[in-house]
Amino acid sequence: MEDIVVVFQERPKLRSPIMVEGLPGVGNVGKLAAEHLVDQLKAVKFAQLFSKFFPPQVLVNDSGTIRLVSNDLYYVSRPDAANDIVIMIGDYQGLTPDGQYELSDRTLRLAKELGVTRIFTLGGYGLGRMIEKPRVLGAATDPELVEEMKKHGVTFSKGEPGSGIVGASGLLLGLGVLYGMRSVCLMGETSGYFVDPKGAQAVLEVLAKILEVKIDFAELEAKAE
């Protein structure tokens, strides 16, 4: 098996797509937010990434059948908007630093092939305590994007996050610069102790304004449970 295998179910033709990444992480904020976005926008799966860098296991479906762990790509066609949307969700991130870099680089090469020029990565910012009204913290690849995100209510606070951004949510920004991608990481505050629908909703409220989409949050808490 190759280190990373990409299987296409479809090769969509997209118009200036914006990419959204939400993989497992702190409080699973990004994963929950991106999966809810897929459901709300009725996104269509078009590709899967399988890799040696994921845990060596299969997952068992309710029907008793199995599936290999993967990261999945979905698309949303929007004829009445300036940009289509590509969304990446998945079961795991890479287990090793090498795996994280390789998977992020492969994702960026796919994004480039699809015509993506802007990426939003979603994640959680763990505070180790319960949060009633989570803020959304941001990090971006250029000062213009920082100012643009501030207008949408994103907080850019000196020293936060102090430890940087680990994993795909950070690497897609850092490596993305090498591919000419303008990117933003949106991080919802969370305790980090459990799957957090409040942090996910805070992130999605900001993202919905940016993408100009409508999202119903009624099922978000049930999805978290």
Side-chain angles (χ1 to χ4, degrees), residues 2 19 45 60 70 77 102 125 134 138:
E2 297 177 7
M19 186 173 191
K45 185 190 293 187
V60 182
S70 64
S77 293
E102 292 291 344
Y125 177 43

Side-chain angles (χ1 to χ4, degrees), residues 44-145:
V44 179
K45 185 190 293 187
F46 70 94
Q48 291 180 284
L49 279 73
F50 304 97
S51 177
K52 290 180 180 179
F53 300 122
F54 295 145
Q57 68 181 90
V58 295
L59 299 179
V60 182
N61 300 313
D62 292 340
S63 64
T65 59
I66 59 91
R67 67 176 181 84
L68 194 60
V69 296
S70 64
N71 285 175
D72 303 334
L73 288 167
Y74 291 75
Y75 74 89
V76 181
S77 293
R78 303 197 296 169
D80 299 327
N83 309 92
D84 291 332
I85 301 172
V86 172
I87 307 169
M88 170 176 259
I89 61 175
D91 301 307
Y92 294 99
Q93 295 201 37
L95 289 173
T96 65
D98 282 355
Q100 289 276 6
Y101 271 90
E102 292 291 344
L103 285 162
S104 295
D105 183 73
R106 188 70 182 92
T107 299
L108 286 164
R109 283 190 280 139
L110 275 173
K112 195 76 173 179
E113 292 170 15
L114 293 167
V116 172
T117 57
R118 182 173 294 199
I119 298 174
F120 289 92
T121 67
L122 313 181
Y125 177 43
L127 296 178
R129 55 184 170 83
M130 300 301 291
I131 308 297
E132 188 60 35
K133 293 183 179 180
R135 298 176 300 165
V136 176
L137 277 70
T141 53
D142 59 77
E144 289 77 12
L145 272 178

